[in-house]
Amino acid sequence: MQPFRGTYDQLPDLMGRHQYIIEKVRSVAGTYGFEEMATPIFEYVSVFNHTLGDTSDIVTKEMFSFPDRHGDLLALRPEGTAGIMRAVLSNKLAQQAPLKFFYTGPMFRYERPQKGRTRQFHQVGVEFIGEANPLADVEVIALGWQALKALGLGESISLEINTLGDKGSRDAYRAALVEYFEKHKSSLSVDSLARLEKNPLRILDSKAPEDQKIKEQAPKMETYLTSSAKDFFEKVLASLTALKIPYTLNPHLVRGLDYYCHTAFEITCTGLGAQNTILAGGRYDGLSTQMGGPPLPSVGWAAGIERMELALPEMPTGIRPISLVPLGSEAETMALPLAFSLREQGFSVDMIYEGGMKARLKQANKVNARYALIFGSEELAQEKILVKDLDSGEQIPVEISKISPYLRNIL
């Protein structure tokens, strides 16, 4: 029996990488004052229909939705932002804004599995809710950049950034795009024809081959920016420069939904092939009001843990355990309380009960133990334990009463 297509089991080695990534990002987020929160894995479908748009691929093609026993339509969450904002409004937290949240957990999308893309995938993300200042955009970008550097990806990441302008900018730009793409309707892909009616900005993000040449000649947002939108974006770029975070302007980087505005950004990573976006985000000032709440200008990002796992360089060595090797029934009787005592003091202890000496030491090496504590009736008669260095092969007898301070000293 196999797991459902597009899902996978997280065996210990992979789980170690997974948790390592989460802890690194969580730690960096903490230095920026972001607090951790979590939302349910499933929500009412309306949470995502209202926020992602009924023409988005996520809603029309990718969402895992199902009715419950009472006929209410639910969905496994395809992304984190909508649930976070729903939680802010449900728990009446708007009056406490600005709010800084870090989150992590599984997301679900029904799409074709490929390298770096699964149907159950995992994200870390941050949301800065209730802050309109462009420096908030810079903070969340810097947080993401610093987290990826902390993971050892600093040499392989690139930041791409664009502005979506304010409402005035977007309205003017949308009209210009519609006018332009209407002239090329006969050559557009089927998906882009549908987007032309409701979401023309998303044509700029199309990957369809027939759309590539057409969108290259499309009008650019910078021509339609209001003076305030220009000032906002210039402050973001100047601040990134001040932080020495390099960036590339990408006019095709868009977010099609109306509640997005101003800054949109992605961080890509070399060596991941076609699915090379490792972190993506932007400003979404209109999301709260679209969900029936008060105005809450906000900005955030999400990053895919699976893609970070693929990009992750050599993992640092974790805590190496101590292996206990009791020989004989008398030693086995003593081994359990000794292991319990050492664990209470914070040592990682692995018990090896079966096999000859050679087999047991092989098992100790298999779990990457640093030392083996070997004792049988002869050692116990002398009230000593043999401490074997599994890297050098050296072993020395240590008095049982002094084993804890000895281990603390050498570790």
Side-chain angles (χ1 to χ4, degrees), residues 22 33 76 114 116 127 165 201 209-210 232 234 275 347 391 410:
I22 292 173
L76 298 177
Q114 53 187 291
E127 311 294 350
L201 267 74
E210 58 265 48
F232 190 105
E234 286 171 3
Q275 304 297 328
F347 294 102
D391 288 350
I410 61 177

Side-chain angles (χ1 to χ4, degrees), residues 29-30 32-38 96 99-103 125 127:
Y32 281 75
F34 283 72
E35 298 181 291
E36 188 164 0
M37 72 169 294
Q96 299 177 28
L99 302 161
K100 293 180 172 181
F101 293 127
F102 164 83
Y103 66 89
E127 311 294 350

Side-chain angles (χ1 to χ4, degrees), residues 107-177:
M107 310 293 165
F108 305 85
R109 294 186 191 178
Y110 194 94
E111 52 187 343
R112 184 172 63 85
Q114 53 187 291
K115 182 181 179 183
R117 174 177 284 177
T118 54
R119 288 175 173 171
Q120 176 178 309
F121 58 101
H122 302 79
Q123 289 184 337
V124 286
V126 298
E127 311 294 350
F128 195 163
I129 295 173
E131 181 54 74
N133 195 302
L135 293 184
D137 303 44
V138 179
E139 265 210 273
V140 299
I141 294 171
L143 193 170
W145 187 263
Q146 196 171 334
L148 293 173
K149 286 184 69 176
L151 287 166
L153 301 176
E155 298 300 315
S156 57
I157 55 175
S158 302
L159 169 64
E160 297 183 1
I161 193 167
N162 190 26
T163 178
L164 306 175
D166 51 19
K167 187 178 187 305
S169 309
R170 285 172 66 89
D171 288 347
Y173 186 48
R174 179 189 174 107
L177 284 179

Side-chain angles (χ1 to χ4, degrees), residues 30-320:
T31 67
Y32 281 75
F34 283 72
E35 298 181 291
E36 188 164 0
M37 72 169 294
T39 61
I41 288 176
F42 59 90
E43 302 265 5
Y44 288 111
V45 161
S46 57
V47 170
F48 305 112
N49 284 351
H50 289 164
T51 57
L52 297 173
D54 55 11
T55 63
S56 72
D57 286 349
I58 294 175
V59 169
T60 59
K61 302 176 183 178
E62 299 169 4
M63 203 153 61
F64 284 90
S65 57
F66 54 94
D68 70 3
R69 293 183 179 183
H70 300 289
D72 291 322
L73 197 57
L74 307 176
L76 298 177
R77 62 186 181 195
E79 55 91 42
T81 303
I84 298 288
M85 185 60 78
R86 194 272 311 145
V88 168
L89 300 179
S90 297
N91 292 282
K92 297 179 172 56
L93 301 179
Q95 61 268 33
Q96 299 177 28
L99 302 161
K100 293 180 172 181
F101 293 127
F102 164 83
Y103 66 89
T104 183
M107 310 293 165
F108 305 85
R109 294 186 191 178
Y110 194 94
E111 52 187 343
R112 184 172 63 85
Q114 53 187 291
K115 182 181 179 183
R117 174 177 284 177
T118 54
R119 288 175 173 171
Q120 176 178 309
F121 58 101
H122 302 79
Q123 289 184 337
V124 286
V126 298
E127 311 294 350
F128 195 163
I129 295 173
E131 181 54 74
N133 195 302
L135 293 184
D137 303 44
V138 179
E139 265 210 273
V140 299
I141 294 171
L143 193 170
W145 187 263
Q146 196 171 334
L148 293 173
K149 286 184 69 176
L151 287 166
L153 301 176
E155 298 300 315
S156 57
I157 55 175
S158 302
L159 169 64
E160 297 183 1
I161 193 167
N162 190 26
T163 178
L164 306 175
D166 51 19
K167 187 178 187 305
S169 309
R170 285 172 66 89
D171 288 347
Y173 186 48
R174 179 189 174 107
L177 284 179
V178 170
E179 182 181 356
Y180 171 77
F181 286 123
E182 282 282 353
K183 298 174 184 175
H184 299 276
K185 284 181 72 171
S186 61
S187 303
L188 289 173
S189 67
V190 173
D191 284 344
S192 288
L193 280 173
R195 291 165 181 160
L196 182 56
E197 298 299 320
K198 292 187 176 181
N199 225 335
L201 267 74
R202 293 196 61 231
I203 300 176
L204 300 177
D205 197 35
S206 170
K207 303 297 189 292
E210 58 265 48
D211 295 334
Q212 299 307 305
K213 196 168 184 179
I214 299 171
K215 74 177 188 178
E216 285 295 330
Q217 304 302 317
K220 302 293 188 286
M221 169 61 92
E222 60 191 40
T223 309
Y224 301 90
L225 291 177
T226 63
S227 58
S228 58
K230 283 182 182 177
D231 291 344
F232 190 105
F233 195 46
E234 286 171 3
K235 190 167 186 179
V236 170
L237 298 183
S239 300
L240 289 172
T241 300
L243 295 179
K244 295 183 171 56
I245 297 178
Y247 61 84
T248 301
L249 296 176
N250 180 355
H252 298 297
L253 183 56
V254 296
R255 303 285 184 265
L257 301 171
D258 288 341
Y259 58 78
Y260 281 105
C261 61
H262 292 299
T263 316
F265 57 90
E266 291 184 356
I267 297 180
T268 58
C269 185
T270 57
L272 293 181
Q275 304 297 328
N276 67 343
T277 299
I278 204 167
L279 180 154
R283 176 164 282 278
Y284 51 95
D285 288 356
L287 178 57
S288 176
T289 53
Q290 187 159 323
M291 296 180 76
L296 284 174
S298 304
V299 60
W301 54 253
I305 294 178
E306 279 79 4
R307 293 187 191 178
M308 285 191 276
E309 286 170 349
L310 290 171
L312 203 63
E314 190 72 23
M315 278 276 289
T317 302
I319 296 173
R320 297 175 65 186

